[in-house]
Amino acid sequence: MAGKVKLDEIDHQILDMLIENTRTPFTDIAKKLLISAGTVHVRVKKMEEAGIIRGSSLTLDYVQLGYAFIAYVGIFLEKTHQTKFVMERLEQIPNVTIAHITTGKFNIFCKIRARDTNHAKNIIFMIDDIDGINRTETMISLEESFNDKKRLMHMIFNEL
Amino acid sequence: MAGKVKLDEIDHQILDMLIENTRTPFTDIAKKLLISAGTVHVRVKKMEEAGIIRGSSLTLDYVQLGYAFIAYVGIFLEKTHQTKFVMERLEQIPNVTIAHITTGKFNIFCKIRARDTNHAKNIIFMIDDIDGINRTETMISLEESFNDKKRLMHMIFNEL
DNA sequence: GGTGAAACTTCTAATAA
DNA sequence: TTATTAGAAGTTTCACC
């Protein structure tokens, strides 16, 4: 599964195309890179086996699905040794989409997604109720802006 | 592009399978849901046209790619009306993977990805240099934990 | 490593129900 | 809306560079 694989320019360009659309036909990629579809197939498989490609997922419009509310919750623990326990509890709440153990102001830091303010309130209360949490601080997202993955990839590949 | 579409149980299950692996053959989905591959095709297309499915992307192992460092940077602005300008500047830095305008402690809040602490320092200096930013507060992620999308989808579909 | 072609699988659109 | 069908397209393997 995990391994060390040196990626070359061809691999970078394959990833580049698949990052934009995971269903880009290998034949299209092959045509663009002037290689055979078989080669694309082998290289993708290799990157999957090496664990560089961990999977693929859909980007959904959560607003249209009725989940427009995003907030970040900073968590202060009573004692640091409770970190693992609290992280595990957070992972059990599906509305917590990502959680980090952090240095700095907060001990733990997580992102939540909810339908609306009222729904978010319930989720935050749920978090507040976890044993070991002293208090939380909520930051509501008024606007979200993404940077597309392709640009980060270019940085990585060109060692900028 | 955008539209109101009511999703039924079949749609939910199609999304469920594609969220885990966007390349799941429609024939597999059809077999599991006891419908025809043509129907799967039509429904996926409909969800794409409605904008519910916005796209697909690869999940990459950034640690293996040499980008193991994650931090969140809270930004305090000099004046609120500079928000848009600063957001635009942040979008130009590929290492800033996501940025939010927030209520609460910070005016803006962003996530950065870098090779190491030294690399991160340069990025944070870059952010500090943006006009209109008063000061920043960095939280380094020591450990990241994801919640899989499937569970969030189940919440959404079951109106929990 | 890569190719090109064969065998197999999947997609897609049209038609019919 | 869904199923069926059939031709087009894509994937995957493999013998051979």
Side-chain angles (χ1 to χ4, degrees):
Chain A
M1 191 71 184
K4 264 267 149 343
V5 170
K6 272 258 165 61
L7 302 185
D8 64 14
E9 188 52 33
I10 303 280
D11 294 319
H12 293 169
Q13 292 198 258
I14 291 171
L15 289 178
D16 236 37
M17 294 185 77
L18 289 177
I19 273 181
E20 299 251 304
N21 175 10
T22 57
R23 277 190 178 255
T24 309
F26 291 179
T27 46
D28 283 8
I29 297 174
K31 231 173 283 170
K32 189 165 173 195
L33 304 185
L34 305 174
I35 55 181
S36 75
T39 300
V40 177
H41 176 243
V42 169
R43 281 171 176 260
V44 169
K45 208 168 173 187
K46 207 166 281 174
M47 290 190 280
E48 281 170 351
E49 278 163 6
I52 286 175
I53 296 176
R54 287 170 43 170
S56 61
S57 194
L58 295 180
T59 308
L60 299 175
D61 183 342
Y62 289 104
V63 175
Q64 223 180 126
L65 291 171
Y67 266 63
F69 191 98
I70 296 170
Y72 285 90
V73 180
I75 297 172
F76 298 91
L77 297 177
E78 281 160 8
K79 303 227 170 84
T80 317
H81 66 76
Q82 294 158 319
T83 307
K84 243 187 170 45
F85 170 80
V86 173
M87 284 291 275
E88 279 162 16
R89 279 281 183 285
L90 290 172
E91 277 169 44
Q92 285 161 19
I93 306 174
N95 302 78
V96 175
T97 56
I98 185 167
H100 293 269
I101 301 173
T102 54
T103 68
K105 201 172 160 44
F106 309 112
N107 299 111
I108 293 177
F109 191 65
C110 66
K111 182 179 181 177
I112 66 172
R113 195 173 267 286
R115 281 197 292 279
D116 49 41
T117 43
N118 192 54
H119 187 204
K121 186 192 68 189
N122 293 334
I123 296 161
I124 292 165
F125 282 177
M126 225 189 279
I127 293 173
D128 279 328
D129 265 355
I130 297 172
D131 278 341
I133 289 183
N134 187 349
R135 66 186 190 85
T136 61
E137 219 173 277
T138 302
M139 291 157 273
I140 296 169
S141 169
L142 303 173
E143 196 181 312
E144 186 181 33
S145 125
F146 282 95
N147 218 323
D148 84 67
K149 280 191 184 178
K150 208 168 170 177
R151 296 184 56 217
L152 179 59
M153 288 302 280
H154 284 156
M155 288 234 97
I156 294 177
F157 294 154
N158 298 310
E159 299 278 336
L160 297 178
Chain B
M1 191 75 187
K4 264 270 154 328
V5 169
K6 272 257 165 61
L7 303 184
D8 63 14
E9 188 52 34
I10 303 278
D11 293 319
H12 294 170
Q13 292 199 259
I14 291 172
L15 289 178
D16 236 36
M17 294 185 77
L18 289 177
I19 272 181
E20 297 252 304
N21 175 10
T22 58
R23 276 188 179 260
T24 309
F26 290 0
T27 46
D28 284 9
I29 297 174
K31 230 173 284 170
K32 189 165 175 195
L33 305 186
L34 306 174
I35 54 179
S36 75
T39 301
V40 176
H41 176 240
V42 169
R43 280 168 177 263
V44 169
K45 208 168 170 188
K46 208 167 281 176
M47 290 190 280
E48 280 171 352
E49 279 163 7
I52 286 175
I53 296 176
R54 285 169 45 167
S56 61
S57 196
L58 295 180
T59 308
L60 299 174
D61 183 343
Y62 289 104
V63 175
Q64 223 178 128
L65 290 171
Y67 266 62
F69 191 97
I70 297 171
Y72 285 90
V73 181
I75 296 171
F76 298 91
L77 296 177
E78 282 161 8
K79 302 227 169 83
T80 317
H81 66 74
Q82 293 158 319
T83 308
K84 238 181 176 48
F85 170 81
V86 173
M87 284 292 276
E88 280 163 14
R89 279 282 183 286
L90 289 172
E91 278 169 44
Q92 283 161 19
I93 306 172
N95 303 78
V96 175
T97 56
I98 185 167
H100 292 269
I101 301 173
T102 53
T103 68
K105 201 170 158 44
F106 309 112
N107 299 112
I108 294 176
F109 191 65
C110 66
K111 181 178 182 178
I112 67 173
R113 194 173 269 286
R115 280 196 292 279
D116 49 41
T117 43
N118 192 54
H119 186 203
K121 185 191 68 186
N122 294 334
I123 296 161
I124 292 165
F125 282 177
M126 225 189 280
I127 293 173
D128 279 327
D129 266 354
I130 296 173
D131 278 341
I133 290 182
N134 186 351
R135 69 187 188 83
T136 61
E137 219 173 278
T138 302
M139 289 157 274
I140 297 169
S141 169
L142 303 174
E143 195 181 313
E144 187 182 32
S145 123
F146 282 96
N147 218 323
D148 84 67
K149 280 191 185 178
K150 209 169 169 177
R151 295 184 56 217
L152 179 60
M153 288 302 281
H154 283 156
M155 288 235 97
I156 293 177
F157 294 155
N158 299 310
E159 299 278 335
L160 298 176

